[in-house]
Amino acid sequence: MPEFSDLEKLNEPAGIANSIGFWIYHIVDDMLKLSTNSMENFGIKNEVPLDLVSFKSHILGIDIPVFLNSFGKWLEGDCSDIMHIRVIDTKKNIKTMQIKGHARRDEEGNVVQLYGAYIDISNRQN
């Protein structure tokens, strides 16, 4: 897995149809790292630190169970799920995101990080 700084270079500018971004969640300290473009796409304004509870506040309420279900599966090691959730961006628009996650384990087999990518599929929705 490349370092976060390497992933950040691959991001598409926020607001572009089909823009993509990357994220890393550090389980031990409950910290979520997003690139600047990702933060804008998810409607997050310089929240430091960004923990899971803060991130969930940007998800449309009806989609929180979907988020929790997929996130739980990723934590258990089942990385087959592709999450579809809606978030409210900085302009109060609802965006549909497709998110994929993977688990990173330590030497003892414990999940220590989740990482993945997302794509904004809002323009594909009816």
Side-chain angles (χ1 to χ4, degrees), residues 16-73:
I16 301 294
N18 296 322
S19 61
I20 61 171
F22 298 90
W23 58 272
I24 300 173
Y25 176 63
H26 299 275
I27 294 168
V28 174
D29 59 3
D30 187 34
M31 296 296 299
L32 182 63
K33 287 190 175 185
L34 300 171
S35 70
T36 303
N37 290 339
S38 297
M39 290 178 76
E40 186 174 327
N41 265 324
F42 283 106
I44 299 168
K45 297 181 184 176
N46 298 326
E47 292 180 34
V48 178
L50 181 60
D51 58 20
L52 215 48
V53 172
S54 298
F55 178 73
K56 285 191 314 188
S57 71
H58 298 279
I59 299 171
L60 205 59
I62 196 165
D63 290 345
I64 290 177
V66 172
F67 173 81
L68 294 175
N69 184 45
S70 291
F71 212 79
K73 286 181 179 180

Side-chain angles (χ1 to χ4, degrees), residues 23 27 73-79 101-106 110-116:
W23 58 272
I27 294 168
K73 286 181 179 180
W74 297 338
L75 285 170
E76 293 171 2
D78 177 0
C79 297
H102 297 279
R104 177 179 279 168
R105 299 179 182 279
D106 63 13
N110 301 312
V111 178
V112 293
Q113 283 183 344
L114 293 178
Y115 65 94

Side-chain angles (χ1 to χ4, degrees), residues 3 10 15 29 34 37 66 85 119 122 124 126:
E3 293 300 315
L10 301 174
D29 59 3
L34 300 171
N37 290 339
V66 172
I85 60 171
I119 184 168
S122 300
R124 298 182 196 172
N126 292 336

